[in-house]
Amino acid sequence: MILFQKIRWRNFLSTGNQFTEIDFTDAQTNLIIGTNGAGKSTVLDALTFVLFNKPFRKINKSQLINSVNEKDCTVEIEFTANSIDWKVIRGIKPNVFEIYKNNELLDRNAAAADQQKWLEENVLKLNYKSFTQIVILGSASFVPFMQLPAGSRREIIEDLLDIKIFSYMSNILREKIRSTNDDIRELTIRRDLVEEKIDMQNNFIEELENRGKENIKSKNEKIKQNLKEQNDLLGVNEFKNRELESLQTRIESFTSPDKKLKKLGTLRGKLQQKVATITKEHKFFNENTVCPTCDQHIEESFRLNRINDAESKAKELQKGFEEIEEAIRLEEDKQTQFKVLSREATNLTHDISKNNTRISGIQSRTRDLEQEIQTITEQLENRNTERHALEKLTEELEDLQSKQSNQKENNVYNEFAHSLMKDGGVKSKIIKRYLPLMNQQINKYLQLMDFYINFSLDEEFKETVKSPIHEDFSYESFSEGEKMRIDLSLLFTWREIAKMKNSASTNLLILDEIFDSSLDGFGTEYFTKIIKYVVSDANVFVISHKTDELIDKFDNLIKFDKVKGFSKRVDK
């Protein structure tokens, strides 16, 4: 059980910088009064804000801070749960969220949202919806149980019966099923891959056994063809090498024709110069009897001798010139022959080189074939190794199939457990077990408020209403005052269930303006008797405008008023 002790706030809504405090344990029944806007309902917003970080009424969080001071908005609450003293402080400008356990501040290692979740799940043991269903009944933003959607109704009942653990377990199992399905899919993929490997290995062994020798034979045939082609090319090269040696011998027999031609050309030039000189001299003595230079007479005998000498020398030179011309012609023929032989030698060298390249290619292909034959031979010799690899793959496949089978079996159990944890499983049986008690308590409180109908909830938390006047009624068929009686009966019932289960039981009950709108005089009378004599273990706070009608019915009076623009408690 949670025993709420004190709450205090400052700079919260219209409250000033001084703390306003309410002691929840001061009296059993408490009436909170005040004019409109005086701040009497502020306690509701302060309570839900400090515990759940959201106000009870529809107010933006930024509007909670006092608009005059605009800082140091703080709400503090003290309570006891499971014999441990707790204190929660929450503030705005600056943002504060502190949790004290037995006066020691807890380390804040997590984000604010995670710390809030920890507070709700481990300390308060209820969330905002459940808290407002068993602690607060208001006229502002409160949504009565019967106006909530089916999912929210179930969530509240699960909180009260302390069976949300089954929802958590359901989520865990659902995640486990999803993870196991992922594992099964992965194992299936791995199994398919191993099966493919086994097929490939079987085919490989079959290839080794059935086609290995045939491949070796085929490759040996190719090697023979290569060797024949290689030998043919070697024979051609041998013949061409002999031709080349013969050509080189003939080429070497030629002394360099270029040098001889150059030398003969030089001799021919000298002879041509001498011929020109002799021709000039012969012409001179033929044409002149007197020296044109000194005008002396040239003796006739001398002149004739010189002419004869010139003619004799000219004949000799002519013969020598003809011999040189013949020698040049012979050397030019040799040079032409030398070039032809050199070109033939070059062609032979090129052919030999080309054949050598082909021979190298043939030898390379032959080596590759020999290597392939060696590999196939080794594989044939090592078939036991390949069979051992096949056995390993088979063992791996069996292991994967076993794991997959185990995972599928686990999933069967997980899915069965998950079906038990879902709404239609164990939770449904527990709820079904408590439904008669719930309906009994609801009708008990309805009768205490002088409302004689038979109101019952089914497993889907849909109502069935029977009255002496009408058989088929629903919650929406009643007047606002009658709805309020049903809402109060549900509120008291949920408190009793929570107390019985010790799941979300508290000493606090706050009712906001329920007397001011829907309850008539008779309803008010019966209700005040219930909170005074039936709900005797709670500290009840009623917020109301009906001061005159209610003031004598409560143990304690708390009054709020506006003082200099700020809400302030003024009852003391």
Side-chain angles (χ1 to χ4, degrees):
M1 178 177 180
I2 301 176
L3 179 63
F4 289 102
Q5 295 159 339
K6 292 180 181 180
I7 188 170
R8 63 182 68 88
W9 63 86
R10 67 177 180 181
N11 293 316
F12 186 78
L13 294 174
S14 59
T15 308
N17 197 37
Q18 299 299 317
F19 273 112
T20 298
E21 181 174 297
I22 291 181
D23 187 341
F24 290 130
T25 62
D26 203 20
Q28 181 193 347
T29 60
N30 303 267
L31 180 63
I32 300 176
I33 62 173
T35 59
N36 286 332
K40 58 185 180 296
S41 296
T42 301
V43 63
L44 298 175
D45 297 310
L47 181 62
T48 57
F49 171 70
V50 72
L51 293 177
F52 301 102
N53 197 30
K54 61 190 294 188
F56 180 71
R57 293 176 290 180
K58 292 181 180 179
I59 303 171
N60 291 332
K61 191 175 177 181
S62 60
Q63 295 174 326
L64 294 177
I65 188 168
N66 181 277
S67 59
V68 177
N69 296 328
E70 294 184 341
K71 64 178 181 178
D72 294 331
C73 172
T74 307
V75 183
E76 302 177 3
I77 191 168
E78 297 175 16
F79 59 93
T80 301
N82 297 323
S83 302
I84 298 173
D85 293 329
W86 297 92
K87 181 178 180 180
V88 179
I89 301 176
R90 202 184 295 267
I92 307 173
K93 288 189 178 182
N95 290 327
V96 178
F97 182 24
E98 297 175 347
I99 301 175
Y100 291 83
K101 180 180 180 182
N102 292 329
N103 295 320
E104 290 188 6
L105 177 63
L106 298 182
D107 292 336
R108 182 176 173 180
N109 297 324
D114 294 332
Q115 192 173 15
Q116 179 65 40
K117 184 178 180 181
W118 180 87
L119 175 65
E120 294 179 15
E121 292 181 354
N122 297 281
V123 181
L124 300 174
K125 301 292 181 69
L126 41 78
N127 58 26
Y128 176 82
K129 287 180 182 178
S130 301
F131 182 82
T132 55
Q133 289 295 318
I134 66 172
V135 176
I136 300 174
L137 181 62
S139 60
S141 59
F142 170 76
V143 180
F145 182 84
M146 294 308 302
Q147 296 180 26
L148 290 171
S152 297
R153 294 184 191 183
R154 174 173 285 275
E155 184 179 347
I156 289 165
I157 298 301
E158 287 182 6
D159 261 348
L160 297 177
L161 295 178
D162 198 19
I163 58 175
K164 289 193 77 173
I165 183 64
F166 295 115
S167 297
Y168 299 142
M169 291 172 66
S170 176
N171 291 336
I172 291 170
L173 285 167
R174 184 169 60 248
E175 180 61 27
K176 197 170 183 180
I177 290 169
R178 186 197 64 77
S179 176
T180 304
N181 283 330
D182 289 343
D183 291 342
I184 290 171
R185 280 192 290 273
E186 182 182 349
L187 288 169
T188 301
I189 293 170
R190 290 173 59 190
R191 185 199 65 194
D192 292 343
L193 288 173
V194 172
E195 286 178 346
E196 288 180 11
K197 287 181 180 179
I198 288 173
D199 289 340
M200 290 173 63
Q201 188 69 7
N202 277 322
N203 291 334
F204 180 63
I205 292 172
E206 182 182 356
E207 179 76 17
L208 284 177
E209 293 178 347
N210 297 336
R211 301 181 185 177
K213 293 179 180 179
E214 184 180 338
N215 284 342
I216 290 174
K217 183 179 179 181
S218 172
K219 293 180 190 302
N220 277 325
E221 287 296 326
K222 288 181 180 178
I223 289 174
K224 286 181 181 178
Q225 292 174 6
N226 288 345
L227 288 174
K228 182 179 181 304
E229 186 179 354
Q230 178 180 324
N231 290 332
D232 290 344
L233 289 171
L234 287 172
V236 170
N237 273 5
E238 185 177 355
F239 175 75
K240 289 184 180 292
N241 276 321
R242 286 198 297 270
E243 283 190 349
L244 182 62
E245 288 175 2
S246 174
L247 283 173
Q248 287 174 341
T249 302
R250 291 172 62 189
I251 289 169
E252 287 172 0
S253 66
F254 291 104
T255 343
S256 177
D258 289 337
K259 290 182 180 179
K260 283 190 174 182
L261 282 172
K262 187 176 180 181
K263 188 174 181 181
L264 289 171
T266 303
L267 288 174
R268 184 172 60 181
K270 289 180 178 179
L271 285 174
Q272 285 175 341
Q273 288 179 355
K274 287 183 178 181
V275 168
T277 302
I278 291 171
T279 301
K280 184 179 179 181
E281 183 179 348
H282 182 271
K283 183 181 178 182
F284 176 80
F285 285 105
N286 251 337
E287 293 178 352
N288 295 292
T289 57
V290 179
C291 178
T293 305
C294 60
D295 292 330
Q296 290 183 0
H297 181 77
I298 300 173
E299 292 182 7
E300 184 65 20
S301 62
F302 177 77
R303 187 178 70 83
L304 292 172
N305 286 334
R306 292 299 298 268
I307 289 171
N308 291 329
D309 288 341
E311 288 177 351
S312 176
K313 285 180 180 180
K315 287 179 180 179
E316 290 177 0
L317 288 174
Q318 181 64 34
K319 183 179 179 182
F321 187 82
E322 288 174 355
E323 289 175 354
I324 287 174
E325 284 290 331
E326 179 64 19
I328 288 174
R329 186 185 63 76
L330 290 173
E331 290 302 322
E332 283 178 347
D333 289 343
K334 287 181 180 180
Q335 186 182 43
T336 301
Q337 193 175 1
F338 177 82
K339 287 180 179 180
V340 170
L341 292 173
S342 296
R343 190 159 45 249
E344 288 180 7
T346 300
N347 290 335
L348 283 171
T349 303
H350 177 72
D351 291 342
I352 292 168
S353 176
K354 192 174 176 182
N355 287 340
N356 284 334
T357 302
R358 290 177 64 188
I359 291 168
S360 296
I362 291 169
Q363 290 173 341
S364 176
R365 291 197 300 274
T366 302
R367 284 193 298 271
D368 290 341
L369 288 167
E370 289 171 345
Q371 183 64 41
E372 289 173 10
I373 290 172
Q374 183 180 352
T375 301
I376 295 172
T377 304
E378 289 174 356
Q379 288 171 346
L380 284 171
E381 292 173 353
N382 295 320
R383 276 174 292 183
N384 290 335
T385 303
E386 300 302 332
R387 290 189 179 279
H388 182 67
L390 179 61
E391 289 172 2
K392 285 284 187 184
L393 288 171
T394 304
E395 289 174 4
E396 184 180 355
L397 178 62
E398 290 173 354
D399 181 58
L400 289 171
Q401 288 173 335
S402 175
K403 287 180 179 177
Q404 189 179 44
S405 177
N406 290 337
Q407 291 287 47
K408 287 181 178 179
E409 186 177 353
N410 288 338
N411 241 12
V412 171
Y413 295 134
N414 289 335
E415 286 173 355
F416 176 73
H418 183 243
S419 68
L420 293 178
M421 297 300 110
K422 291 194 295 188
D423 290 345
V426 175
K427 290 191 294 184
S428 179
K429 292 185 180 297
I430 294 173
I431 291 170
K432 189 175 181 179
R433 179 182 174 187
Y434 276 90
L435 270 177
L437 177 60
M438 293 178 186
N439 289 329
Q440 180 185 344
Q441 291 299 112
I442 293 168
N443 286 290
K444 181 187 82 171
Y445 285 113
L446 286 171
Q447 291 171 19
L448 286 173
M449 285 185 287
D450 199 30
F451 192 23
Y452 295 97
I453 61 170
N454 188 302
F455 185 95
S456 60
L457 296 172
D458 61 16
E459 294 176 28
E460 301 297 324
F461 306 105
K462 296 177 181 178
E463 78 276 16
T464 300
V465 182
K466 295 180 181 179
S467 72
I469 304 172
H470 299 285
E471 283 295 322
D472 296 323
F473 250 56
S474 68
Y475 175 82
E476 294 299 333
S477 303
F478 292 106
S479 66
E480 293 304 315
E482 290 168 329
K483 287 181 183 177
M484 180 59 72
R485 284 176 168 84
I486 295 173
D487 294 339
L488 288 168
S489 297
L490 290 169
L491 175 66
F492 293 141
T493 298
W494 302 152
R495 289 180 64 83
E496 289 223 11
I497 296 296
K499 181 180 178 183
M500 183 187 305
K501 291 291 294 179
N502 196 27
S503 55
S505 178
T506 78
N507 66 312
L508 193 59
L509 175 60
I510 302 176
L511 306 159
D512 184 23
E513 298 183 2
I514 64 167
F515 297 105
D516 301 357
S517 56
S518 301
L519 285 183
D520 53 23
F522 287 110
T524 299
E525 184 69 28
Y526 290 127
F527 174 72
T528 54
K529 287 181 181 179
I530 290 174
I531 64 174
K532 196 168 186 66
Y533 300 110
V534 180
V535 192
S536 57
D537 61 340
N539 299 100
V540 182
F541 290 79
V542 174
I543 301 169
S544 179
H545 291 293
K546 293 185 178 182
T547 306
D548 297 336
E549 298 176 30
L550 299 175
I551 195 168
D552 295 331
K553 301 180 185 297
F554 289 84
D555 301 331
N556 185 33
L557 180 68
I558 300 173
K559 184 178 181 181
F560 284 88
D561 201 356
K562 275 286 184 71
V563 179
K564 295 182 180 179
F566 293 104
S567 296
K568 190 173 183 181
R569 181 173 174 176
V570 296
D571 52 299
K572 293 182 180 180

